[in-house]
Amino acid sequence: KIKKAVKSTNSLALFYENKLINSVFHSSSGGRTENSGQVWKYQLPYLKSVIDYDQNSKKYRWTNKFTSAQLENIFPNLGDINSVQIINKSNTDRVLKIRIYGTNGNEIISGEKLREKLKLLSTKFEFDLKFNKIKLDKKLNSDNKIVEDFKLQPLPPIPEDYFLLVKGYGAGHGVGMSQWGAKSMAEKGSSFRKILRHYYTGVQIKTY
């Protein structure tokens, strides 16, 4: 089937205004692809954000968790990490800039840089603080009964009994054609022409 598909399309190419396009692709976008200008330097007219059909992707939703010790090892120059704040997102909710607060100072980095450092699947994510193991402060009240006070400290700082949960969507840069989205469209009967024209805006498929 693969050989047949390749053979039947080997004379065709994608064009925009009679010029070959840069037909970038990724695994899955998490529901909507990204504009090229939000990820790279230039916004190309055929690499615009469109609805993705990648809900069946094995990486449509994912989570990673990091303890305070792990974060300190990843950002040794900042000391103990007190807080992580998203300060800028794209129109499709991909993280563009993040401010990291540490005992030795603060640092602003790109979402792509954080993705690289934390080995995340994409830049489409959000943060949450979770309680890892319960610690109780036990006190006696007037009836000599134990009173259990749950002390859930908010950021900052990140106590040892907490972990930072990163909840994300999709895998890859999110620009151009989504492989899982293309698979879903094909399984529902869409032709390769319809799939390509969906993910690459305004293109022509011509003999080359």
Side-chain angles (χ1 to χ4, degrees), residues 9-85:
T9 60
N10 65 3
S11 63
L12 301 176
L14 286 165
F15 293 81
Y16 185 86
E17 295 183 348
N18 295 318
K19 293 181 180 179
L20 287 168
I21 74 165
N22 183 10
S23 53
V24 296
F25 60 92
H26 58 280
S27 176
S28 67
S29 71
R32 189 170 188 90
T33 67
E34 183 59 279
N35 292 302
S36 64
Q38 295 281 7
V39 177
W40 301 308
K41 188 175 182 179
Y42 299 108
Q43 176 58 54
L44 297 175
Y46 51 84
L47 294 179
K48 294 182 179 179
S49 174
V50 298
I51 293 173
D52 196 5
Y53 303 102
D54 63 328
Q55 289 76 14
N56 292 329
S57 166
K58 296 176 182 178
K59 298 172 183 177
Y60 181 74
R61 287 189 179 92
W62 50 265
T63 58
N64 288 78
K65 66 178 185 179
F66 302 90
T67 64
S68 55
Q70 288 174 319
L71 291 173
E72 185 179 354
N73 288 333
I74 294 170
F75 301 99
N77 59 314
L78 294 179
D80 293 334
I81 303 300
N82 289 334
S83 183
V84 184
Q85 178 190 15

Side-chain angles (χ1 to χ4, degrees), residues 119-204:
K119 295 179 173 58
L120 305 176
L121 291 176
S122 75
T123 57
K124 192 171 185 176
F125 56 78
E126 58 188 24
F127 297 116
D128 199 2
L129 189 64
K130 295 293 185 181
F131 200 49
N132 195 20
K133 49 187 177 182
I134 297 174
K135 274 192 174 182
L136 304 175
D137 283 344
K138 296 185 178 180
K139 300 178 182 178
L140 294 179
N141 63 12
S142 58
D143 297 322
N144 291 328
K145 292 181 180 178
I146 292 177
V147 178
E148 298 179 339
D149 294 330
F150 290 80
K151 293 189 175 181
L152 305 182
Q153 297 172 319
L155 285 174
I158 301 176
E160 292 181 359
D161 302 317
Y162 289 72
F163 61 85
L164 187 69
L165 187 68
V166 185
K167 298 184 288 186
Y169 296 84
H173 49 65
V175 181
M177 188 180 71
S178 159
Q179 291 173 307
W180 277 94
K183 179 177 184 293
S184 177
M185 289 182 70
E187 288 172 344
K188 292 177 181 177
S190 293
S191 67
F192 77 90
R193 293 177 183 272
K194 184 175 181 180
I195 294 169
L196 292 172
R197 285 172 178 154
H198 173 72
Y199 286 105
Y200 302 110
T201 305
V203 297
Q204 301 86 41

Side-chain angles (χ1 to χ4, degrees), residues 109-126:
I109 65 173
S110 68
E112 189 57 44
K113 188 67 175 178
L114 188 75
R115 178 193 172 192
E116 178 185 326
K117 283 183 171 291
L118 300 186
K119 295 179 173 58
L120 305 176
L121 291 176
S122 75
T123 57
K124 192 171 185 176
F125 56 78
E126 58 188 24

